[in-house]
Amino acid sequence: MGMTMAEKVLARTSGRDIVRRGDILECAVDQVVQVDLSFALMDKVPTRVKSPDNVSVIFDHAVPAPSVKDAEGMSIARQYARKFGLNLYDVGRGGICHQVIMEKAIGLPGTLLACGDSHTCAAGALNCVARGLGDAEILHAACKGTAWYIVYPTVLFELEGKWGDLVSGKDVLFYIADKYGDFVNHNLEFNGGAITEMRLDDRHTLATMCAEVSAEFVMFPADDMLVSYLRSRTDRKFDPVSSDPDADFESVHKIHVAEIEPYVALPHSVPHNTMPIRKLGKTRINQALIGGCSNGKLSDLAIAATILKGNRVAPTVRMIVTPASQEVYQESIRLGYVNTLIEAGALITPPTCGACFGHHMGVLGKGERCISSSPRNFKGRMGSPESEVFLASSASVAASALKGYIVDPREV
Amino acid sequence: MLIQGRVWVFGDNIDTDLMMPHIAFEKPRSEQAKWVFRTNRPGWVDMVRKGDILVAGNNFGLGSSRPAALLFRQLGIDAIVADSVNGLFYRNCINFGLPAFNCPLVSKSFGEGDIAEIDPHAGTILNVTTGLSLKTGILPEMLLQIIAAGGLIELLTQDGYLEPSSNYIEVNNEPC
């Protein structure tokens, strides 16, 4: 029996020829990414770093520092990064770690990446085996260069057919969450002709959002589109992985993408809590947020600008747009998206995880409701425990901002 | 090693934002545990005792990488057993030295206040109150060693890999 993409990389990095479901492995990670928040929360820093060239420190959760505690965490992180010569992406130099991992080609096909943020499965869109680690084990990975992994069963999704209008990576995940629920203790793999047709941004959104159905590793094939993107961004060599034809998939699901339409996730969770947005009754909103690791990409700002061009955000709504990186921000300015959004009444924030986890740059008060293209909607996540977060694509968020209530973007 | 304690029962899909709400981020480490389950079960932290055991439903601990498992240890929780434990939370439990077990149907097999007895080596959990026994699966040796040491932070500190971040408080001390 053959191996899946993730299994091949776990085998290589643990020094084995073959791994099987249920194995527990100590693996040498190829890249380690530490984020600012971890330094504010933990009171220890490494005295030794196994492989400084392969460790990045990215400031994203609290940028720029909204509190003294955050400022001091980043001060510690800066000194630590300089001491060991790590790759530091300071305030104004990078952006949200998952976007930076893609733009700077930190995550490469066929490699194993460890990062201390739960949406790290995002890098699966790069054919990179990656999952979020906790604060203790990310320190271990930085110090000793290893982490333990369990080989979980893998579910394969084969996507075929023609994409509908204004259907994004976000909608694919919500369709899957509606039909299949969550995937606790399972890896996911995506393949098929419709994946090849998907933009890299949408694959990255879909990979990121798999954290919301509790997936472990999430893998995408390394096709020409991905390889040429990465070649344009790094001279480093890489060796993509593909699953064997007889790989050990627990189940295989075929999805006809023509069935997927714009979706919305209702407040407080994603699995079995999503529906086609056209079926949601008229739901008023106070805030519309575009951004976060899942949807602060150039294509997100582009679609928002297209929908809002020459229009005004509803007077009852405040719209916040958070580009995922300095690169996205700058490119959006060059292409005129930022100006269009400002003219429509939107507020542009610097790249940060910010409002998504209720830290700053758009938290909600009691009784308030937000539609957001950020990834997560747990109770109280964006501020007051008595606020509500609906999740949708950036097209749906922009259309809803215009109307003042949640709406199918195809109707605008 | 047997783990015996009084049981608290929680439902399905308890997320890390409930375990460690954002407000806890702003507090000193010693005060963070006060906020555990503040939204879904206010007052619980005042009732929990050292040596208690958490029993929960499916996907316990879904969400972020925040160090919620550390707060349970601070509250004195000795083990977590859930119908299913979220993958990242499971990692965090083990790596912060808190034994965690997947055990389908455990949430239906315990009432609050029952006494549980877990045998990590045999892979069983016994409801001492009712006499019912369930299989938990055996914790791999690699993970048992991490737990026995008190977690990865303790292991790294013992080996000299970590130092207090307060050593870094001097800023602007480099020559211009």
Side-chain angles (χ1 to χ4, degrees):
Chain A
M1 180 167 286
M3 288 191 285
T4 65
M5 298 180 195
E7 286 163 1
K8 288 182 179 181
V9 173
L10 293 176
R12 173 181 66 78
T13 53
S14 62
R16 300 189 186 197
D17 293 329
I18 201 159
V19 298
R20 290 287 175 231
R21 280 190 217 177
D23 287 352
I24 178 157
L25 313 163
E26 173 125 35
C27 296
V29 298
D30 296 303
Q31 291 286 330
V32 177
V33 176
Q34 297 177 266
V35 297
D36 54 344
L37 199 60
S38 187
F39 293 88
L41 287 171
M42 302 299 287
D43 51 11
K44 297 271 176 75
V45 282
T47 55
R48 281 179 265 172
V49 175
K50 170 80 174 176
S51 180
D53 288 349
N54 300 325
V55 178
S56 300
V57 177
I58 304 180
F59 292 173
D60 59 2
H61 278 70
V63 170
S67 71
V68 172
K69 191 173 178 184
D70 290 315
E72 290 177 354
M74 281 187 268
S75 173
I76 291 159
R78 257 179 219 113
Q79 294 173 70
Y80 155 69
R82 288 191 187 128
K83 177 177 171 185
F84 292 101
L86 312 179
N87 307 295
L88 174 65
Y89 296 89
D90 207 325
V91 174
R93 268 77 158 193
I96 300 178
C97 63
H98 308 301
Q99 185 73 16
V100 174
I101 286 167
M102 178 160 77
E103 288 173 0
K104 305 297 181 191
I106 296 168
L108 288 178
T111 65
L112 180 61
L113 179 141
C115 167
D117 182 86
S118 62
H119 290 102
T120 299
C121 50
L126 312 174
N127 191 245
C128 172
V129 178
R131 60 149 304 135
L133 301 191
D135 292 306
E137 53 184 343
I138 202 72
L139 287 170
H140 186 274
C143 292
K144 303 182 93 167
T146 61
W148 59 266
Y149 295 95
I150 296 169
V151 182
Y152 287 111
T154 301
V155 175
L156 173 65
F157 283 100
E158 291 182 330
L159 275 61
E160 300 294 348
K162 198 170 152 37
W163 290 99
D165 228 17
L166 290 175
V167 172
S168 73
K170 197 87 160 195
D171 301 306
V172 179
L173 188 279
F174 290 162
Y175 173 89
I176 289 171
D178 183 25
K179 207 165 167 184
Y180 302 97
D182 62 30
F183 295 90
V184 183
N185 297 335
H186 282 77
N187 299 325
L188 301 182
E189 208 172 290
F190 289 90
N191 220 326
I195 290 290
T196 312
E197 296 295 312
M198 242 177 155
R199 292 177 303 193
L200 204 49
D201 274 3
D202 276 305
R203 296 181 202 179
H204 197 255
T205 299
L206 172 53
T208 309
M209 290 303 299
C210 287
E212 300 318 304
V213 290
S214 294
E216 294 285 316
F217 295 119
V218 179
M219 291 300 287
F220 283 68
D223 61 359
D224 292 346
M225 188 195 292
L226 173 66
V227 170
S228 60
Y229 172 86
L230 291 170
R231 290 269 181 248
S232 73
R233 286 170 180 267
T234 183
D235 295 329
R236 287 161 57 219
K237 291 188 171 60
F238 53 85
D239 195 7
V241 279
S242 53
S243 290
D244 293 322
D246 61 343
D248 179 24
F249 291 112
E250 185 186 80
S251 57
V252 180
H253 302 294
K254 284 200 190 305
I255 291 180
H256 300 285
V257 298
E259 288 176 15
I260 306 176
E261 56 178 309
Y263 264 70
V264 63
L266 308 183
H268 309 331
S269 71
V270 169
H272 291 311
N273 198 34
T274 62
M275 61 159 74
I277 202 165
R278 66 183 162 81
K279 292 186 179 171
L280 183 74
K282 202 165 180 175
T283 306
R284 290 216 158 271
I285 50 167
N286 308 99
Q287 178 165 299
L289 174 67
I290 288 177
C293 52
S294 58
N295 289 85
K297 304 172 189 308
L298 193 60
S299 55
D300 292 292
L301 275 76
I303 189 68
T306 302
I307 289 169
L308 290 169
K309 194 169 180 65
N311 291 309
R312 296 284 298 172
V313 169
T316 51
V317 175
R318 52 186 191 269
M319 182 172 187
I320 298 171
V321 179
T322 302
S325 69
Q326 290 293 103
E327 180 181 316
V328 169
Y329 197 175
Q330 198 170 15
E331 193 64 4
S332 300
I333 290 171
R334 193 181 69 80
L335 293 167
Y337 305 153
V338 164
N339 200 45
T340 300
L341 293 169
I342 290 173
E343 281 180 353
L347 177 74
I348 318 289
T349 79
T352 178
C353 306
C356 175
F357 75 116
H359 206 56
H360 65 152
M361 302 280 175
V363 302
L364 301 174
K366 181 178 175 177
E368 290 196 312
R369 186 181 291 141
C370 178
I371 185 164
S372 178
S373 61
S374 61
R376 192 163 278 166
N377 66 342
F378 295 157
K379 190 174 173 64
R381 178 161 176 94
M382 205 177 274
S384 166
E386 290 164 75
S387 60
E388 290 183 333
V389 178
F390 289 71
L391 299 175
S393 71
S394 292
S396 300
V397 173
S400 303
L402 203 59
K403 291 289 185 186
Y405 53 88
I406 297 174
V407 69
D408 188 322
R410 296 170 300 184
E411 291 170 17
V412 174
Chain B
M1 175 180 83
L2 290 178
I3 307 167
Q4 195 182 76
R6 180 181 67 157
V7 162
W8 296 95
V9 182
F10 286 83
D12 292 336
N13 300 314
I14 301 293
D15 64 57
T16 50
D17 287 54
L18 296 174
M19 295 174 175
M20 184 178 177
H22 177 267
I23 191 166
F25 285 47
E26 295 157 8
K27 308 293 178 193
R29 169 71 63 78
S30 57
E31 292 173 29
Q32 288 175 342
K34 285 184 197 164
W35 298 91
V36 173
F37 293 147
R38 179 62 63 103
T39 302
N40 57 322
R41 197 161 175 183
W44 177 75
V45 292
D46 301 321
M47 299 186 286
V48 69
R49 285 196 311 246
K50 187 166 168 39
D52 285 354
I53 290 172
L54 282 191
V55 164
N58 282 309
N59 204 7
F60 189 65
L62 71 154
S64 80
S65 59
R66 63 189 65 182
L70 191 57
L71 303 191
F72 287 122
R73 269 195 67 193
Q74 286 175 0
L75 288 170
I77 297 294
D78 270 357
I80 286 173
V81 191
D83 295 346
S84 62
V85 183
N86 176 270
L88 177 53
F89 185 68
Y90 181 79
R91 302 183 70 86
N92 268 326
C93 287
I94 304 298
N95 291 332
F96 280 113
L98 177 61
F101 304 88
N102 286 289
C103 179
L105 300 177
V106 72
S107 67
K108 303 284 179 285
S109 308
F110 279 85
E112 209 145 74
D114 287 356
I115 302 298
E117 187 178 273
I118 303 165
D119 186 336
H121 294 278
T124 56
I125 178 168
L126 171 69
N127 187 332
V128 175
T129 309
T130 66
L132 182 73
S133 180
L134 298 167
K135 285 198 183 310
T136 62
I138 297 168
L139 271 176
E141 190 56 34
M142 189 193 296
L143 305 190
L144 281 172
Q145 284 176 10
I146 296 172
I147 293 167
L152 288 177
I153 300 289
E154 280 71 9
L155 272 174
L156 290 168
T157 304
Q158 280 165 25
D159 295 343
Y161 279 95
L162 296 177
E163 62 178 320
S165 52
S166 54
N167 290 0
Y168 277 112
I169 53 169
E170 289 293 325
V171 292
N172 299 326
N173 58 352
E174 289 168 28
C176 291

Tab-separated table of all heavy atoms in Angstrom, chain A residues 31 33 38-39 61 115 119 242 267 280 301 330 358:
chain	number	residue	atom	x	y	z
A	31	GLN	N	11.079	24.008	8.583
A	31	GLN	CA	10.962	25.439	8.889
A	31	GLN	C	10.173	25.609	10.182
A	31	GLN	O	9.218	24.864	10.434
A	31	GLN	CB	10.201	26.183	7.768
A	31	GLN	CG	10.952	26.277	6.450
A	31	GLN	CD	12.097	27.290	6.494
A	31	GLN	OE1	12.031	28.287	7.227
A	31	GLN	NE2	13.141	27.049	5.707
A	33	VAL	N	8.166	28.682	12.419
A	33	VAL	CA	7.672	30.061	12.415
A	33	VAL	C	7.090	30.375	13.786
A	33	VAL	O	6.183	29.692	14.262
A	33	VAL	CB	6.603	30.268	11.324
A	33	VAL	CG1	6.025	31.687	11.407
A	33	VAL	CG2	7.191	30.014	9.932
A	38	SER	N	3.007	34.617	21.081
A	38	SER	CA	3.635	33.572	21.862
A	38	SER	C	4.660	34.153	22.847
A	38	SER	O	4.827	33.646	23.961
A	38	SER	CB	4.301	32.610	20.881
A	38	SER	OG	4.789	31.504	21.535
A	39	PHE	N	5.323	35.215	22.439
A	39	PHE	CA	6.323	35.845	23.309
A	39	PHE	C	5.660	36.670	24.418
A	39	PHE	O	6.218	36.853	25.487
A	39	PHE	CB	7.279	36.722	22.488
A	39	PHE	CG	8.146	35.918	21.565
A	39	PHE	CD1	7.719	35.607	20.284
A	39	PHE	CD2	9.372	35.447	21.982
A	39	PHE	CE1	8.510	34.846	19.436
A	39	PHE	CE2	10.171	34.684	21.150
A	39	PHE	CZ	9.731	34.379	19.870
A	61	HIS	N	-0.121	39.134	15.256
A	61	HIS	CA	-1.344	39.133	16.048
A	61	HIS	C	-1.680	40.502	16.631
A	61	HIS	O	-2.842	40.867	16.722
A	61	HIS	CB	-1.249	38.084	17.169
A	61	HIS	CG	-1.574	36.708	16.695
A	61	HIS	ND1	-0.752	36.007	15.844
A	61	HIS	CD2	-2.653	35.915	16.915
A	61	HIS	CE1	-1.309	34.827	15.574
A	61	HIS	NE2	-2.455	34.747	16.207
A	115	CYS	N	4.450	25.968	12.895
A	115	CYS	CA	4.166	27.370	13.224
A	115	CYS	C	3.206	27.397	14.397
A	115	CYS	O	2.315	26.558	14.494
A	115	CYS	CB	3.573	28.062	11.995
A	115	CYS	SG	2.816	29.677	12.311
A	119	HIS	N	-3.981	28.254	12.315
A	119	HIS	CA	-4.360	28.205	10.893
A	119	HIS	C	-3.203	27.822	9.976
A	119	HIS	O	-3.248	28.060	8.760
A	119	HIS	CB	-4.990	29.537	10.465
A	119	HIS	CG	-6.351	29.741	11.076
A	119	HIS	ND1	-6.563	30.554	12.154
A	119	HIS	CD2	-7.545	29.178	10.784
A	119	HIS	CE1	-7.850	30.500	12.497
A	119	HIS	NE2	-8.455	29.674	11.684
A	242	SER	N	3.463	13.895	-4.225
A	242	SER	CA	2.105	13.540	-4.644
A	242	SER	C	1.753	12.210	-3.979
A	242	SER	O	2.636	11.443	-3.601
A	242	SER	CB	2.012	13.436	-6.166
A	242	SER	OG	3.020	12.567	-6.639
A	267	PRO	N	-23.392	32.236	13.502
A	267	PRO	CA	-22.505	32.492	14.641
A	267	PRO	C	-22.128	31.250	15.450
A	267	PRO	O	-22.918	30.311	15.554
A	267	PRO	CB	-23.331	33.447	15.506
A	267	PRO	CG	-24.203	34.143	14.538
A	267	PRO	CD	-24.560	33.112	13.505
A	280	LEU	N	-30.641	32.601	3.925
A	280	LEU	CA	-30.662	33.313	5.212
A	280	LEU	C	-31.648	34.474	5.105
A	280	LEU	O	-31.620	35.226	4.145
A	280	LEU	CB	-29.257	33.840	5.535
A	280	LEU	CG	-29.072	34.541	6.871
A	280	LEU	CD1	-29.061	33.535	8.022
A	280	LEU	CD2	-27.766	35.338	6.895
A	301	LEU	N	-9.345	42.024	-1.788
A	301	LEU	CA	-9.507	43.474	-1.915
A	301	LEU	C	-10.005	43.835	-3.317
A	301	LEU	O	-10.763	44.785	-3.494
A	301	LEU	CB	-8.203	44.200	-1.571
A	301	LEU	CG	-8.042	44.452	-0.062
A	301	LEU	CD1	-7.644	43.208	0.701
A	301	LEU	CD2	-7.060	45.581	0.222
A	330	GLN	N	0.307	47.256	-0.345
A	330	GLN	CA	0.967	48.133	-1.315
A	330	GLN	C	0.441	47.893	-2.736
A	330	GLN	O	0.181	48.839	-3.481
A	330	GLN	CB	2.475	47.886	-1.263
A	330	GLN	CG	3.276	49.005	-1.881
A	330	GLN	CD	4.763	48.876	-1.618
A	330	GLN	OE1	5.236	47.813	-1.209
A	330	GLN	NE2	5.485	49.927	-1.855
A	358	GLY	N	-10.445	39.336	18.459
A	358	GLY	CA	-10.954	40.276	19.458
A	358	GLY	C	-9.893	41.115	20.127
A	358	GLY	O	-10.109	41.644	21.217
